[in-house]
Amino acid sequence: MEILSPVSGRAMPISDVPDPVFAGLMVGPGVGIDPAREAGTAVAPISGTIVKLHPHAYVISGGGKSVLVHLGIDTVQLKGEGFSLHASEGADVAAGDPIVSWDPAAVEAGGKSPAVPVVALEGSADALSGLVTAGDVNAGDVVFVWA
């Protein structure tokens, strides 16, 4: 299964995400995206059903796999301010569909990291291949394949 970048920016190893839970793979393996510092919309990394949706994070399940997208680090503390939802929990979405609009520059200006972990929940690192961990990516680009 191809996992798409939910945002445009620069790819990085998930170990470089400035949060020990994500960097330590406690939630699962994946990649990090340092997003472009402009307002935009995070998209679905896979086709499936939105099983969890918060303004700052969402989980989409499809094909027996679940992918977590977390928009920034410690952004739960913003209580939804600066985030606009374009979907609802329980909705079926296609890869690339808009999910949440946000502004990474505003997150950073508020003292939070805008880094975006893209995590294969309950996945194993050896089940992932083709991880993009450097260079520019656009929303919708494949950032890893989950076997």
Side-chain angles (χ1 to χ4, degrees), residues 24-48:
L25 307 183
M26 292 178 211
V27 182
V31 299
I33 308 294
D34 183 21
R37 300 304 193 269
E38 56 193 28
T41 301
V43 303
I46 61 171
S47 295

Side-chain angles (χ1 to χ4, degrees), residues 10-86:
R10 289 194 65 78
M12 64 178 149
I14 199 161
S15 58
D16 289 354
V17 170
D19 179 278
V21 172
F22 291 113
L25 307 183
M26 292 178 211
V27 182
V31 299
I33 308 294
D34 183 21
R37 300 304 193 269
E38 56 193 28
T41 301
V43 303
I46 61 171
S47 295
T49 302
I50 301 172
V51 295
K52 284 289 178 201
L53 179 62
H54 302 283
H56 68 282
Y58 51 95
V59 175
I60 299 177
S61 291
K65 296 172 174 31
S66 296
V67 178
L68 165 68
V69 174
H70 204 286
L71 301 173
I73 302 302
D74 295 329
T75 46
V76 66
Q77 297 168 2
L78 301 176
K79 297 181 173 48
E81 187 174 327
F83 297 85
S84 298
L85 302 178
H86 299 288

Side-chain angles (χ1 to χ4, degrees), residues 60-132:
I60 299 177
S61 291
K65 296 172 174 31
S66 296
V67 178
L68 165 68
V69 174
H70 204 286
L71 301 173
I73 302 302
D74 295 329
T75 46
V76 66
Q77 297 168 2
L78 301 176
K79 297 181 173 48
E81 187 174 327
F83 297 85
S84 298
L85 302 178
H86 299 288
S88 57
E89 204 166 283
D92 289 329
V93 295
D97 281 356
I99 306 296
V100 179
S101 290
W102 71 310
D103 186 347
V107 167
E108 190 170 54
K112 310 283 184 218
S113 168
V116 178
V118 182
V119 179
L121 290 177
E122 298 181 16
S124 62
D126 60 356
L128 307 187
S129 63
L131 280 85
V132 177

Side-chain angles (χ1 to χ4, degrees), residues 3 7 15 30 39-40 111 117-118 144:
I3 311 303
V7 297
S15 58
V118 182
F144 62 89

